[in-house]
Amino acid sequence: MFDIASIIINYNSSKLTQECIDSVISKTNPSLNYQIIVVDNCSEKEDYLSLKHFCDSHSFTNLQLIRSKINTGFGGGNMAGFHFANAKYIAFVNNDTVFLNDCFSILKTALEKDNSIAMVGGQSYSETGKQMVAFDHFASISKELFGRDFLEKTNPKKYPKRKLEYTNPIKVNYVQGSFMLVRTEDFNTVGGFDTNIFLYYEETDLCMRLAKLGKSCFLIPEAKYIHYHGASTPQNITIKTELKISLLYIIRKHYGFLSFYFLLNYLRINYVFSTIFKPKYWYLLKVLLAGAPLSKSLKVKQIIKEI
């Protein structure tokens, strides 16, 4: 059994994936026993073959490439990789990240010190060296209505300020999905990622379920990495619509139908007015008027591809 199994998803961004893999290997202590599992989430043929050549010719022996014939999204892709993992801890690493130090060893040590901690994450930075927000607060009605700043001012113990620079470990609701290390036993206990979610809020949902078991999540600022934020995901109205579908799914799942319908109608009203000034939001509004069902998710629009 390995100490850590690192799962990296590639989707039409093999150059980023290769840079990520090389940074993990170069920064990780050679004495650490770990494996790297790369899941190609149905990229175009040229991108996949480039990645395959890289993996086949790499000197790191515990590197494995898996190809999915359909894009299963973030949670589905990670769960596909998880089936090939054999480790005490699982690292979910976005392919648009680059390690700046021995993140695996630092985060592994943090988990070993306290069994009540199920997940940890490091401090992210932009490619220019600017500190980025590395954790967030759970999705909730109050967060959507009043915003993060209001939560942080009214209850700073429960909602620590996201934009501060921390030097010591701090308990948070959840760390960003760009890089997180979780105890395999706890991940199995809650059933892993909810694959109903195609994109966004997967780490939120996972940590909410872990919290219900009394398991916590910590930011470990000593572990540092670069995150090319959004580099692997195009930003357009379709992606923004997916964000709202996932948000409403999470609200319904964890807070019930009353909260779901309240937020749904709140968003409907907001986007009725937004559409007047920005017609591009019409597609999003139509999905909200339909109730933002999972049947409108990008997940159901994926097609099977052969090499």
Side-chain angles (χ1 to χ4, degrees):
M1 176 180 285
F2 293 96
D3 293 321
I4 294 174
S6 175
I7 301 174
I8 303 171
I9 296 178
N10 179 73
Y11 180 67
N12 291 324
S13 49
S14 60
K15 288 185 179 180
L16 285 174
T17 303
Q18 293 171 33
E19 183 180 4
C20 175
I21 292 170
D22 282 339
S23 80
V24 170
I25 295 171
S26 66
K27 295 298 182 180
T28 302
N29 190 320
S31 66
L32 188 69
N33 187 25
Y34 68 101
Q35 61 180 146
I36 299 177
I37 302 163
V38 183
V39 179
D40 182 77
N41 227 349
C42 197
S43 299
E44 296 299 327
K45 179 179 178 180
E46 293 76 13
D47 192 79
Y48 166 70
L49 291 178
S50 174
L51 180 60
K52 185 177 187 301
H53 174 75
F54 171 84
C55 292
D56 288 345
S57 60
H58 208 288
S59 60
F60 185 70
T61 56
N62 296 325
L63 174 62
Q64 183 176 6
L65 174 63
I66 302 155
R67 176 165 169 85
S68 174
K69 292 183 179 181
I70 190 168
N71 184 354
T72 57
F74 180 87
N78 276 309
M79 290 305 291
F82 180 68
H83 290 306
F84 294 85
N86 179 29
K88 187 176 181 181
Y89 305 106
I90 307 295
F92 299 104
V93 185
N94 270 21
N95 74 326
D96 55 358
T97 64
V98 174
F99 283 15
L100 293 174
N101 58 10
D102 188 2
C103 294
F104 282 167
S105 297
I106 295 168
L107 297 183
K108 173 176 172 286
T109 298
L111 283 176
E112 288 175 338
K113 287 181 178 178
D114 189 344
N115 195 55
S116 69
I117 303 175
M119 182 184 290
V120 288
Q123 177 60 57
S124 58
Y125 296 86
S126 70
E127 55 268 39
T128 61
K130 182 180 179 181
Q131 178 179 302
M132 299 175 68
V133 172
F135 66 90
D136 207 341
H137 317 309
F138 287 146
S140 66
I141 296 295
S142 57
K143 179 181 173 182
E144 293 302 313
L145 294 182
F146 305 114
R148 297 176 176 89
D149 290 344
F150 174 82
L151 298 179
E152 292 171 1
K153 288 177 181 178
T154 55
N155 194 344
K157 185 176 181 180
K158 184 177 181 180
Y159 304 107
K161 291 186 177 181
R162 299 154 54 248
K163 297 179 182 180
L164 287 183
E165 183 175 359
Y166 295 94
T167 56
N168 295 316
I170 180 171
K171 184 178 180 179
V172 298
N173 281 175
Y174 71 93
V175 292
Q176 298 290 2
S178 53
F179 175 34
M180 45 194 176
L181 185 71
V182 62
R183 197 184 307 275
T184 302
E185 180 182 0
D186 295 327
F187 187 73
N188 275 327
T189 299
V190 297
F193 288 113
D194 183 342
T195 55
N196 284 316
I197 306 170
F198 182 75
L199 193 62
Y200 297 115
Y201 289 98
E202 299 91 347
E203 70 271 45
T204 310
D205 171 66
L206 177 62
C207 285
M208 290 177 86
R209 285 182 280 130
L210 288 168
K212 290 175 182 177
L213 296 179
K215 296 286 186 172
S216 58
C217 178
F218 271 74
L219 169 71
I220 312 297
E222 182 186 353
K224 304 179 188 298
Y225 66 97
I226 293 172
H227 181 208
Y228 299 111
H229 186 67
S232 59
T233 306
Q235 299 302 310
N236 52 46
I237 194 60
T238 305
I239 295 298
K240 288 184 178 181
T241 301
E242 193 69 25
L243 178 70
K244 298 304 180 187
I245 291 173
S246 297
L247 168 62
L248 287 161
Y249 174 80
I250 291 298
I251 295 296
R252 182 176 61 217
K253 177 178 179 179
H254 292 279
Y255 300 102
F257 281 98
L258 287 179
S259 295
F260 164 75
Y261 282 116
F262 177 88
L263 182 58
L264 175 63
N265 288 317
Y266 172 78
L267 292 173
R268 283 169 171 171
I269 294 169
N270 275 356
Y271 281 99
V272 163
F273 290 103
S274 296
T275 304
I276 296 173
F277 302 101
K278 295 182 179 180
K280 67 178 182 178
Y281 285 125
W282 174 239
Y283 174 77
L284 172 53
L285 177 59
K286 287 195 297 183
V287 172
L288 291 172
L289 291 174
L294 291 177
S295 61
K296 298 293 183 180
S297 169
L298 290 170
K299 179 179 179 179
V300 302
K301 299 177 182 179
Q302 305 307 311
I303 59 174
I304 296 175
K305 295 179 182 178
E306 300 289 345
I307 294 296

